[in-house]
Amino acid sequence: MPTKIIMDTDPGIDDAAAITIALNHPDFDLELITTVAGNVTVDKTTLNALKLTRFFNSTVPVAGGAPQPLIKPFEDAVRVHGVSGMPGYDFPTDLAKPLPETAVEALRDHIMAAEEPITLVPTGAYTNIALLFKTYPEVKAHIKEIIAMGGTLGKGNMTSAAEFNVFTDPHAAEIMYQAGVPITMVGLDVTMKALLTPATMQKLPTLGRTGTMLHALFNHYGDGDKTGIPMHDVNTLFYLLHPEAFTTQKMWIDVQTDGPANGETVGDIRGAYHDGKTNATVCVDIDARAFNAWFLDTVAAIG
């Protein structure tokens, strides 16, 4: 049976690739897309999600969410994703409307109505998730797990210590990691290893309409270098389908919420500070070759 998922996201170019796969892969049943301010403002992330559902003629509903972090001032990633968040491709303009309810209300409604616990896949700031848990704590018992893109045990990409999604709203990340819901952290420790290689990029335009669209977006992506480009958010879906391609370690994750380490995810790798308790499964290594092969096969199957 396909895995029932909800994506909470901020498209964004790598988010667009993740949404593309979630909408089309036969092993996923994407029930809802909620959007948040992150790579660009929430009006743009919502518009971008609607562009993708229209591109694939999908009826998956989209709900707009938090326009800013809980406390910290908002900082976007326009320098990486462009002013629109998804430059480089002319999407259809006859778009559906987002749901009238907010992301938090839509998340509550879908989670509580589901016949079985559902998997949340947040690939942007965790503001909507934190607001959901604070407003409707009863939903936590109906969530199977959270597969979250974000965080790092090593070098950050916003500061020396902080990854972008956590840095954007560290207070929301703190709430999510303290919620008691099973969490897998898919952070920079693996996403900066699973780069789409130049050879993979060259093949994309030969893989039909979807490959052409993604290739156009990737050519406007301000991340990566000559060795390849990171598909941060896509790694969450790869993990769900192929956990055997990852090396993981259970540990306690604390989130720093102020000072020069604001947004840092601190892993208790020695188990020294939380009486042996853990609150996350942390991805620490990945089979990058398998990721590239899976990505190409998946895009080719969409056509």
Side-chain angles (χ1 to χ4, degrees):
M1 293 291 291
T3 300
K4 293 184 179 296
I5 64 173
I6 292 174
M7 290 197 71
D8 186 70
T9 181
D10 63 338
I13 291 171
D14 57 318
D15 310 74
I19 292 170
T20 291
I21 293 170
L23 285 170
N24 292 284
H25 200 290
D27 290 334
F28 292 121
D29 180 3
L30 179 60
E31 304 239 318
L32 172 69
I33 299 171
T34 54
T35 61
V36 66
N39 289 322
V40 287
T41 56
V42 74
D43 58 324
K44 293 178 180 177
T45 62
T46 305
L47 182 65
N48 289 341
L50 292 168
K51 288 178 180 178
L52 290 162
T53 56
R54 172 64 183 85
F55 181 85
F56 293 110
N57 292 316
S58 170
T59 59
V60 172
V62 175
Q68 60 191 28
L70 298 178
I71 297 173
K72 183 176 173 290
F74 175 55
E75 297 181 48
D76 62 30
V78 167
R79 69 192 183 284
V80 175
H81 296 270
V83 173
S84 73
M86 286 187 351
Y89 190 84
D90 291 329
F91 286 92
T93 57
D94 55 331
L95 307 180
K97 299 293 185 182
L99 293 175
E101 59 261 44
T102 67
V104 170
E105 302 298 323
L107 285 164
R108 188 275 311 268
D109 291 349
H110 277 75
I111 291 169
M112 298 304 291
E115 294 181 357
E116 58 189 46
I118 202 161
T119 297
L120 297 187
V121 185
T123 63
Y126 311 134
T127 315
N128 291 333
I129 307 299
L131 290 170
L132 175 69
F133 289 169
K134 286 298 185 182
T135 310
Y136 302 110
E138 65 272 17
V139 302
K140 292 188 284 187
H142 299 267
I143 296 171
K144 179 181 179 182
E145 60 181 336
I146 297 173
I147 310 297
M149 192 278 131
T152 178
L153 298 178
K155 183 180 178 181
N157 62 357
M158 282 299 286
T159 69
S160 61
E163 177 275 333
F164 176 77
N165 286 347
V166 180
F167 178 86
T168 299
D169 196 341
H171 299 88
E174 182 180 45
I175 290 169
M176 188 181 78
Y177 275 97
Q178 292 180 355
V181 178
I183 296 175
T184 297
M185 183 176 109
V186 185
L188 300 183
D189 307 286
V190 291
T191 70
M192 292 306 296
K193 294 175 182 175
L195 304 179
L196 290 189
T197 65
T200 295
M201 283 286 290
Q202 288 177 1
K203 292 178 182 177
L204 280 176
T206 71
L207 301 181
R209 179 170 169 261
T210 300
T212 299
M213 179 269 288
L214 292 174
H215 186 263
L217 296 183
F218 295 167
N219 278 330
H220 289 76
Y221 190 30
D223 204 354
D225 55 31
K226 63 181 180 180
T227 63
I229 61 172
M231 284 290 103
H232 302 289
D233 300 336
V234 180
N235 280 262
T236 57
L237 303 179
F238 185 52
Y239 175 84
L240 274 169
L241 297 184
H242 295 285
E244 73 281 358
F246 292 77
T247 302
T248 62
Q249 184 176 347
K250 291 186 180 297
M251 66 183 72
W252 190 280
I253 294 291
D254 285 308
V255 180
Q256 299 299 300
T257 57
D258 56 23
N262 196 8
E264 181 179 10
T265 42
V266 181
D268 184 8
I269 59 174
R270 294 191 298 123
Y273 302 105
H274 297 87
D275 297 323
K277 297 177 182 177
T278 64
N279 65 351
T281 299
V282 180
C283 296
V284 295
D285 205 358
I286 186 172
D287 184 339
R289 181 175 295 181
F291 175 77
N292 273 263
W294 171 82
F295 185 83
L296 284 175
D297 289 345
T298 300
V299 173
I302 298 169

